[in-house]
Amino acid sequence: MVTTVAVAGARGRLGSLVCDVVDELPGFELVARLGSASDPQEGAAARILVDVSHPDASPAIVERALEHGQRVIVGTSGWSAERLESLRERVRMTPGAGVIVVPNFSLGSVLGTTLARIAAPYFDAIEVIEAHHPGKVDSPSGTAVRTAELMAEARQDRPVEAPFAEQPARGQLVSGIPVHSLRLAGVVAKQEVRFGGSGEVLTVTHDTHSNEAYRAGVRAALEAATTAEGLTVGLDRVLGIGA
């Protein structure tokens, strides 16, 4: 049985890659490439809707997909903890609904965040530096937000040392952890999590050199979406390495 897929944001960098992966993946068929000018009903018959559009458009796209009874994969940034909680309630009220939210499809990035979560309880000084290409419209990145939230959770909300955090140059606090965002030509994606301790610094770094890094994660999310129920947040949960 073939699983049909529609992609919202199909003309973007990640959207184009998702379309390629669907075309190459046995058992899946791409039936709609959706853009901002597409009819909202186009692609409504697809079994899975992959949203890699824009943070402002994403909530409405996901809501329409749930109304159509579609399984959903969300690869769009901007899904904060508060927004995810609302989505969790929406999914809970929809029998049979399945939504997978993936802040980053890179396997290396997911493992980097997992390592940062493991280290977080052992250091009181933690800062995140993330860099992306100039075309990325949101900051901090969804990956950085997710990493900070997971580290705070691992620390059981024990405060992080962040002196002078009220100064703009100190970055944006996410779950009490300073996050610094860079937007630079020549960069695809990079994240560093730095942990400061007495006489030492631990750095967990991940570099993405091309969008090819996302292929394996996209495949894993598509295969998981065929049977997923409820709300799943993070590729780590899809891969079975989440906390």
Side-chain angles (χ1 to χ4, degrees):
M1 181 177 178
V2 173
T3 300
T4 53
V5 181
V7 178
R11 295 177 180 83
R13 295 185 185 204
L14 183 54
S16 297
L17 178 72
V18 172
C19 291
D20 288 345
V21 172
V22 175
D23 279 337
E24 297 169 356
L25 192 60
F28 291 81
E29 179 185 359
L30 181 65
V31 295
R33 299 172 184 257
L34 309 176
S36 57
S38 298
D39 186 321
Q41 297 304 311
E42 187 179 350
R47 179 60 177 144
I48 297 175
L49 184 284
V50 182
D51 168 42
V52 284
S53 57
H54 187 282
D56 293 339
S58 185
I61 291 171
V62 174
E63 175 61 29
R64 281 198 300 271
L66 289 173
E67 290 175 353
H68 294 146
Q70 294 173 300
R71 300 292 177 91
V72 187
I73 299 172
V74 183
T76 304
S77 291
W79 285 85
S80 63
E82 181 179 355
R83 183 180 283 185
L84 285 171
E85 191 55 40
S86 296
L87 178 59
R88 189 182 305 279
E89 181 63 19
R90 173 69 173 86
V91 171
R92 190 181 70 82
M93 298 296 292
T94 307
V99 178
I100 299 175
V101 178
V102 183
N104 196 311
F105 286 102
S106 159
L107 301 185
S109 176
V110 170
L111 290 169
T113 294
T114 300
L115 294 172
R117 187 185 71 226
I118 292 170
Y122 301 98
F123 295 86
D124 285 331
I126 306 173
E127 309 224 1
V128 180
I129 305 166
E130 60 95 354
H132 283 80
H133 56 86
K136 185 168 179 58
V137 298
D138 62 312
S139 60
S141 69
T143 301
V145 170
R146 178 69 176 160
T147 301
E149 290 173 345
L150 287 173
M151 289 192 295
E153 181 182 314
R155 293 174 57 80
Q156 298 181 339
D157 295 322
R158 194 172 79 251
V160 168
E161 292 178 1
F164 310 110
E166 73 283 356
Q167 298 177 4
R170 291 287 291 112
Q172 178 178 323
L173 288 181
V174 178
S175 297
I177 298 172
V179 179
H180 311 265
S181 296
L182 310 179
R183 296 294 176 264
L184 300 171
V187 176
V188 176
K190 179 173 184 172
Q191 177 169 284
E192 294 183 17
V193 184
R194 298 188 183 181
F195 301 90
S198 179
E200 63 180 351
V201 172
L202 170 67
T203 303
V204 177
T205 303
H206 175 259
D207 285 279
T208 301
H209 297 294
S210 80
N211 284 355
E212 290 299 304
Y214 306 133
R215 283 187 180 272
V218 171
R219 286 195 296 268
L222 285 166
E223 289 168 348
T226 60
T227 57
E229 292 188 4
L231 177 63
T232 302
V233 181
L235 189 63
D236 53 336
R237 305 294 175 88
V238 173
L239 300 174
I241 59 175

